[in-house]
Amino acid sequence: MKTLFDKIWDAHTVETIAGGSCVLYIDRQYIHEVTSPQAFEGLHSRGAKVFRPAQVTASPDHNIPTQNQHLPVQDLQSARQLSMLENNCTEHGITIFKVGTPKNGIIHVVGPETGLTQPGMTIVCGDSHTSTHGAMGCVAFGIGTSEVEMVLASQCVLQSKPKTMRINVEGQLNPGVCSKDIILYLISKLGTGGGTGHFIEFAGSAIRSLSMEARMTICNMSIEMGARGGMIAPDETTFAYLKGREYAPQGTEWDKSVTQWKQLYSDPDAVFDKEVTFDAADIYPMITYGTNPGMGIALTHSIPEVSEIEETSRPSFLKALEYMDFKPGEKLPGKPVDYVFVGSCTNGRIEDLRVFADYVKGKQKAAGVTAWIVPGSKQVEKQAIDEGIRDTLEAAGFELRQPGCSACLAMNDDKIPAGKYCVSTSNRNFEGRQGPGARTLLAGPLVAAACAIHGIITVPDSLQLSNPVTQQLSNSTTQQLSNSATQQLNNSVTQQLNNSVTQQLSNSFQLMINQFTTLTSTAIPLKIENVDTDQIIPARFLKATTREGFGKQLFFDWRYDAQGNPKTDFVLNSPDYTGEILIAGKNFGCGSSREHAAWAIYGAGFKVVISSFFADIFRNNALNNGLLPVQVSESFLAKLFQVVRSAPSTTVSIDLERQTVTLTATGEQELFEISPYKKECLLKGYDDVDYLMSIHHKIEAFEKTR
């Protein structure tokens, strides 16, 4: 018996190579201006063409302005990225929804609303929130730029098959609770690494009661708990949403498709690697207080006390509160709000704008609040105008802007100033996510509306909320999660690629990345947990069109003050620590699928990152760029920190062939795990694209069977 995920993944597997890596066929790739230029550059350097241009769709969204879109883009770097996307699409015959045209918008909004996204598909994009499309019953996930190139070149991507997880939310939702509250609640309980290594299916009566757009919000943020992606089984709600959309099947083809889609569910006896259940009655309107989406509480709750936080996580907890200028035990209602942002691929759909407009109708925006209401697409913008939402907003003192990613990330003109608080319906509250020094509080559109009207963090006055009881995960569930996260390595990690695959690699690949065999080096200890991709390299530095130059921007906001002077208390600025090995706290690299974080670390001279826990996407991106992620036990990581911090001249030795990491001062050693295929690539300096291009005949044969 199979899970929904297994059914779709297995049906799209062209072949499985030694060590378990899958050649996965992709039905549709979405691209945008930020993560595609370097992929096309790679194609050009190989003299290759896009393999299946009809299965690629582009929409510029990250770098576009949300005002005066009829005028040329003023930022030269943004303009260059946009121009390169358009030129690359024209050269390769790829459909592009240009800025200002009726179908333009955030790609994760455009895909479903046009009917390009359909149940049973495999979908990828160089953006972690590709998981949004899983709400339609797809296997959809974010990939790095190297993988964007793979799909352009072959319509396939090399991936290890994730484990499966099901999250059930049962029962009736409380008044005022929206999908954003559900997912923030789940992340607060499971943590930002609770789904790592897994593809999550969301199920249960509360999930089934949601609209399609609400389901998209849930799946959109599945990545924020470390999951590879999220999905919901298609049902009549899905079919009703999709019927009649431009690219959806029509006529008899529609009936045939629906018959097939109705088979897309997890079999009753299907077994998941993890399964947890929550009671919808325990969920109330949520808001975040820290610098990752897992730091969330019910709006009427207090920030946790230090004593409630696991001891090893307390330094990161206190660091986050210092950044936000909050204190343990504080309540948030009554705190001043400077900005409100409604939009993004999380909450920029028409239903989100309706909720916001319904609340502010007949009221007036607080004088001290700057509010940006940004539709997710031109279609949403048109609906908002046709339904009178724009008129309602303007009467209340708000402005409906033009579509784009806007203030979700600080890549365009919509930035939050340093020190200011923004209640945001987007997906990430990382340090500097909305601008250097900006303080982000994630919430749903209803809470955002109340904050915009009152100018302070406010419980919406339309709700009668009791003080909710904080329910902890059961001991069994907690133990289940803990055991999964700390699972010890076994002897299988030393398994080698079989001779036939090794020969195939040798015959097919060019030397594309630096080879790695052994490394003995001093190390730099970065003892911080939950280091995200925006901390590794802030989003404002992502307007480049090549892979070079990111090393100097590594940990920029931690390394330098507002005047550009090095902060003497940051470890990378200490003359005591040098080396080619970075030792980091657990859950390193969480956040975006963009490859720039790996480029920055490698560009700064690091060859290895050691941690007790890596985000899945970062691990893949690192390996694709010759950067070795070495995962060790928490106890061995603690030992490394202790020895290196007390004796900076201590060296650490990495042996890739033997898969060992050794503290040379003591001889203490651990094995680490790596995909046999990726191990061979690093040892020989191969990359994946040439391999996939070498099996075009197999991919073409696979296509004929579908």
Side-chain angles (χ1 to χ4, degrees):
M1 307 300 276
K2 288 188 173 184
T3 68
L4 169 61
F5 170 78
D6 289 328
K7 289 180 180 180
I8 299 174
W9 183 282
D10 294 349
H12 288 78
T13 299
V14 177
E15 68 173 5
T16 301
I17 64 178
S21 292
C22 298
V23 177
L24 188 71
Y25 189 83
I26 301 302
D27 292 312
R28 182 151 305 278
Q29 177 168 215
Y30 294 119
I31 61 174
H32 57 83
E33 72 275 25
V34 177
T35 56
S36 65
Q38 297 87 348
F40 282 106
E41 180 188 35
L43 277 190
H44 296 154
S45 69
R46 300 172 197 273
K49 298 287 187 182
V50 175
F51 187 61
R52 295 288 183 259
Q55 292 170 242
V56 185
T57 307
S59 184
D61 52 14
H62 282 59
N63 269 337
I64 64 176
T66 59
Q67 292 177 306
N68 300 315
Q69 290 185 347
H70 62 290
L71 299 176
V73 175
Q74 294 302 303
D75 183 274
L76 295 180
Q77 289 180 304
S78 297
R80 177 171 171 76
Q81 279 194 336
L82 294 168
S83 175
M84 289 187 71
L85 177 65
E86 186 171 336
N87 292 340
N88 283 322
C89 289
T90 300
E91 178 184 349
H92 293 278
I94 294 170
T95 298
I96 178 172
F97 303 140
K98 299 178 185 179
V99 178
T101 61
K103 293 192 201 61
N104 178 249
I106 303 172
I107 193 64
H108 307 314
V109 177
V110 170
E113 72 181 11
T114 59
L116 282 167
T117 299
Q118 298 170 24
M121 282 184 165
T122 50
I123 295 174
V124 296
C125 176
D127 186 287
S128 57
H129 295 105
T130 309
S131 54
T132 304
H133 305 268
M136 304 283 290
C138 305
V139 170
F141 53 95
I143 56 177
T145 297
S146 296
E147 293 163 325
V148 172
E149 185 183 348
M150 291 181 209
V151 182
L152 291 174
S154 69
Q155 209 52 41
C156 290
V157 65
L158 272 163
Q159 292 281 296
S160 296
K161 186 178 182 181
K163 296 178 180 179
T164 56
M165 180 178 183
R166 182 160 60 189
I167 298 178
N168 305 293
V169 185
E170 302 285 1
Q172 186 172 346
L173 295 168
N174 288 308
V177 171
C178 65
S179 56
K180 185 65 161 289
D181 301 311
I182 297 172
I183 191 63
L184 285 175
Y185 174 85
L186 295 176
I187 300 170
S188 76
K189 295 302 181 186
L190 298 174
T192 55
T196 299
H198 295 77
F199 220 95
I200 298 175
E201 180 179 344
F202 295 94
S205 57
I207 299 297
R208 291 194 299 273
S209 73
L210 299 174
S211 69
M212 274 309 306
E213 296 195 355
R215 295 178 186 187
M216 291 179 206
T217 297
I218 296 282
C219 291
N220 175 276
M221 290 192 66
S222 61
I223 192 69
E224 309 307 338
M225 65 177 77
R228 201 67 185 86
M231 62 193 314
I232 297 171
D235 57 14
E236 293 301 327
T237 300
T238 316
F239 310 147
Y241 174 89
L242 194 55
K243 190 173 184 178
R245 297 190 182 267
E246 182 176 356
Y247 295 103
Q250 307 294 325
T252 58
E253 287 301 311
W254 169 260
D255 296 331
K256 185 187 302 183
S257 295
V258 171
T259 299
Q260 295 171 344
W261 295 340
K262 286 182 177 179
Q263 304 307 307
L264 296 174
Y265 56 85
S266 291
D267 295 327
D269 296 332
V271 177
F272 292 79
D273 296 295
K274 281 186 191 177
E275 186 159 9
V276 292
T277 299
F278 296 91
D279 188 344
D282 296 328
I283 306 174
Y284 290 83
M286 297 283 291
I287 195 166
T288 61
Y289 62 86
T291 55
N292 69 63
M295 302 179 80
I297 52 174
L299 197 55
T300 55
H301 274 182
S302 301
I303 296 172
E305 298 285 356
V306 175
S307 59
E308 300 176 64
I309 305 299
E310 184 180 345
E311 187 171 355
T312 59
S313 300
R314 289 175 186 174
S316 297
F317 170 76
L318 292 171
K319 183 177 183 297
L321 292 191
E322 181 182 10
Y323 181 86
M324 296 296 294
D325 196 24
F326 293 150
K327 293 179 174 57
E330 278 191 313
K331 287 193 173 184
L332 295 183
K335 295 281 186 183
V337 171
D338 303 299
Y339 285 76
V340 168
F341 169 55
V342 177
S344 81
C345 60
T346 312
N347 285 117
R349 298 177 179 80
I350 190 63
E351 289 181 6
D352 303 306
L353 270 59
R354 288 170 183 159
V355 169
F356 188 91
D358 285 347
Y359 186 90
V360 306
K361 189 173 184 177
K363 303 180 179 73
Q364 280 295 308
K365 179 183 71 68
V369 172
T370 300
W372 294 328
I373 316 301
V374 185
S377 69
K378 291 297 288 185
Q379 180 172 311
V380 174
E381 179 189 35
K382 183 178 184 303
Q383 287 178 278
I385 294 170
D386 293 345
E387 295 179 16
I389 290 174
R390 183 176 66 178
D391 296 336
T392 297
L393 293 174
E394 290 178 351
F398 297 93
E399 173 194 11
L400 182 69
R401 292 199 165 199
Q402 295 172 298
C405 290
S406 186
C408 177
L409 74 174
M411 288 196 68
N412 46 70
D413 294 335
D414 301 346
K415 297 179 177 66
I416 310 302
K420 300 298 184 180
Y421 290 96
C422 178
V423 175
S424 177
T425 67
S426 52
N427 40 56
R428 288 180 177 149
N429 53 338
F430 299 159
E431 290 185 22
R433 173 74 176 185
Q434 295 188 293
R439 295 164 171 162
T440 301
L441 301 98
L442 300 179
L446 180 61
V447 172
C451 295
I453 294 298
H454 295 281
I456 56 175
I457 297 174
T458 305
V459 177
D461 53 25
S462 59
L463 301 180
Q464 299 295 319
L465 297 179
S466 60
N467 190 37
V469 177
T470 305
Q471 182 174 346
Q472 303 297 322
L473 289 171
S474 69
N475 291 336
S476 61
T477 300
T478 302
Q479 188 61 49
Q480 183 183 20
L481 294 172
S482 175
N483 290 345
S484 174
T486 60
Q487 185 178 6
Q488 296 299 306
L489 304 176
N490 55 52
N491 292 333
S492 66
V493 302
T494 61
Q495 181 185 2
Q496 302 297 310
L497 288 170
N498 64 33
N499 291 335
S500 63
V501 173
T502 300
Q503 187 62 47
Q504 192 171 17
L505 288 169
S506 300
N507 292 340
S508 304
F509 282 64
Q510 304 174 34
L511 188 67
M512 297 298 295
I513 61 175
N514 290 330
Q515 293 173 263
F516 188 110
T517 53
T518 62
L519 174 67
T520 299
S521 171
T522 52
I524 298 179
L526 183 68
K527 198 175 182 182
I528 303 174
E529 294 184 357
N530 301 316
V531 175
D532 59 66
T533 48
D534 284 66
Q535 292 162 344
I536 296 171
I537 182 165
R540 64 187 182 275
F541 294 121
L542 307 187
K543 297 180 181 183
T545 54
T546 66
R547 300 171 187 254
E548 289 76 39
F550 291 100
K552 61 185 179 184
Q553 292 144 357
L554 178 66
F555 300 118
F556 193 90
D557 290 342
W558 288 350
R559 289 171 71 183
Y560 304 103
D561 62 21
Q563 290 72 46
N565 301 310
K567 297 179 181 178
T568 56
D569 60 345
F570 186 61
V571 67
L572 265 70
N573 293 330
S574 171
D576 296 334
Y577 298 104
T578 60
E580 298 176 286
I581 298 174
L582 179 67
I583 304 173
K586 67 179 180 182
N587 197 26
F588 185 83
C590 53
S592 175
S593 68
R594 57 179 180 256
E595 225 164 77
H596 304 68
W599 299 343
I601 296 171
Y602 194 88
F606 293 104
K607 303 296 174 54
V608 173
V609 182
I610 301 175
S611 177
S612 61
F613 199 67
F614 288 100
D616 287 334
I617 297 178
F618 175 82
R619 186 198 304 272
N620 287 347
N621 288 342
L623 290 168
N624 286 335
N625 287 276
L627 177 67
L628 179 61
V630 173
Q631 185 164 322
V632 298
S633 66
E634 290 193 16
S635 59
F636 193 73
L637 183 68
K639 182 69 173 181
L640 287 172
F641 275 127
Q642 177 188 351
V643 175
V644 171
R645 293 176 79 180
S646 62
S649 62
T650 299
T651 58
V652 178
S653 183
I654 310 295
D655 188 323
L656 178 58
E657 182 65 48
R658 295 182 175 149
Q659 295 176 216
T660 58
V661 51
T662 306
L663 186 58
T664 54
T666 65
E668 293 171 270
Q669 186 178 88
E670 269 200 3
L671 289 174
F672 63 89
E673 189 175 23
I674 184 172
S675 154
Y677 170 79
K678 283 299 185 184
K679 176 179 176 178
E680 189 74 5
C681 287
L682 284 173
L683 289 171
K684 299 291 188 355
Y686 300 147
D687 79 349
D688 295 329
V689 178
D690 283 328
Y691 172 70
L692 290 172
M693 291 175 65
S694 77
I695 62 167
H696 273 180
H697 62 291
K698 292 184 179 181
I699 298 169
E700 290 168 342
F702 175 84
E703 290 176 322
K704 292 176 182 178
T705 66
R706 305 184 72 242

